[in-house]
Amino acid sequence: MSSLEMLTLLELAQGRPASLARAEAAFGHRSLLLVALLSLWEAAPRLGLIDPVFLPPFSEVIAAGWQLAQAGQLYDDVSASLLRALSGFLISVVLIIPLGLAIGWYARLGNLLNQFIEICRNTAPLALLPVFILLLGIGELSKVTMVVYSCAWPLLLNTIAAVKQVDPLLIKSARTMGATPQQLFRKVILPASLPTIFVGIRLASASAMLVLVASEMVGAKAGLGYLIINSQYSFLIPQMYFGILGITVIGMTFNAILQALEQRFMRWKAPTTA
């Protein structure tokens, strides 16, 4: 019996594939590290290693979040931030990915817009925050527009690169077999570009949260950014840390959802093994 057959029988005897066991072990290690960090956070202020006024124990931070939830303020802040972030992110995905595909496929269009793209992508979104506020006011429009602008460049650049990096042999083979331009794009260009496009989507989601929090700190009456800066000014330090944790959890949730979508859309892609 070959070693491959023995490995298969061993996996069947265990009731689960070895790859799943490795994934579970890695998840367990990450969970242990997280528990250790939270335990250190809880213990250090209580043991006097860190001033609890400036870094309260983790349990006090969670208690402050519970108080915010009971008062209804947490729901208002989280819903406001989610609405702004999701609106700007989805608008940018709908508008920018088709533009990136067109620029990557049509060389003349890319050459025409190249200089403009270089200027805009090297202009930091936060540097334009006062401009957006002056032109669009301090309402929702300026914040959503800031999110769209910040998401546009990682999406656009990764989409353009994805199209340009498609293997020329795949394109040549499809044309040799008589594929129409529409079939070439749908069956070859788009599937081959998806991995890099999803990299841009995940980068854009992180950029959306970063810029949104900064814009909420400047001019907002609700949102996690407003919660953080208002808690700092009012010296409500546990609430401030809970706002930071809230942003982290939302960002990780976004990333997990996008990873699941990536796996669903690219089931044809062979999984990488460590």
Side-chain angles (χ1 to χ4, degrees):
M1 181 181 293
S2 67
S3 58
L4 180 59
E5 292 173 339
M6 292 179 62
L7 179 60
T8 303
L9 289 176
L10 180 60
E11 290 177 351
L12 292 174
Q14 291 177 341
R16 59 185 180 183
S19 58
L20 179 58
R22 288 195 298 268
E24 291 178 352
F27 178 77
H29 293 157
R30 291 194 295 268
S31 299
L32 287 175
L33 178 60
L34 178 60
V35 171
L37 290 174
L38 295 179
S39 300
L40 178 63
W41 184 355
E42 178 71 24
R46 295 191 182 279
L47 295 176
L49 301 177
I50 299 176
D51 191 342
V53 174
F54 300 108
L55 182 63
F58 178 70
S59 58
E60 293 186 10
V61 174
I62 298 300
W66 177 248
Q67 293 175 358
L68 290 172
Q70 288 181 317
Q73 181 181 351
L74 181 61
Y75 173 79
D76 294 337
D77 290 332
V78 171
S79 59
S81 292
L82 282 177
L83 179 61
R84 294 161 183 160
L86 286 175
S87 298
F89 175 73
L90 293 176
I91 290 171
S92 63
V93 168
V94 171
L95 295 180
I96 301 302
I97 289 181
L99 177 61
L101 292 171
I103 293 175
W105 186 242
Y106 298 106
R108 291 183 179 179
L109 181 61
N111 293 332
L112 178 64
L113 298 177
N114 180 64
Q115 194 63 41
F116 175 76
I117 293 173
E118 288 298 318
I119 293 173
C120 291
R121 80 178 186 91
N122 285 291
T123 304
L126 294 179
L128 294 175
L129 178 58
V131 178
F132 281 100
I133 292 176
L134 286 173
L135 296 177
L136 303 175
I138 61 173
E140 299 300 313
L141 182 59
S142 62
K143 296 173 182 58
V144 174
T145 306
M146 277 290 300
V147 173
V148 173
Y149 182 86
S150 65
C151 292
W153 309 115
L155 277 173
L156 184 63
L157 295 176
N158 278 275
T159 304
I160 293 172
V163 176
K164 290 184 176 181
Q165 290 172 4
V166 175
D167 191 346
L169 290 178
L170 293 176
I171 300 174
K172 185 177 180 179
S173 300
R175 285 174 172 167
T176 301
M177 290 185 290
T180 64
Q182 293 79 11
Q183 292 173 332
L184 178 63
F185 179 81
R186 189 176 68 255
K187 299 293 187 179
V188 178
I189 302 300
L190 192 57
S193 302
L194 276 180
T196 306
I197 291 175
F198 266 101
V199 172
I201 291 175
R202 292 169 63 184
L203 289 173
S205 69
S207 180
M209 292 305 301
L210 172 65
V211 172
L212 174 65
V213 169
S215 64
E216 288 179 341
M217 288 181 176
V218 174
K221 294 300 180 183
L224 290 174
Y226 170 77
L227 173 64
I228 293 171
I229 199 68
N230 185 60
S231 299
Q232 179 196 7
Y233 289 154
S234 303
F235 211 71
L236 301 172
I237 304 302
Q239 290 188 13
M240 182 189 76
Y241 280 105
F242 188 81
I244 297 171
L245 285 177
I247 293 168
T248 302
V249 171
I250 290 175
M252 293 176 65
T253 303
F254 274 7
N255 187 64
I257 292 173
L258 292 174
Q259 282 183 318
L261 288 174
E262 181 178 2
Q263 292 174 359
R264 180 176 178 82
F265 281 107
M266 293 187 296
R267 286 172 292 185
W268 50 267
K269 185 179 179 183
T272 57
T273 56

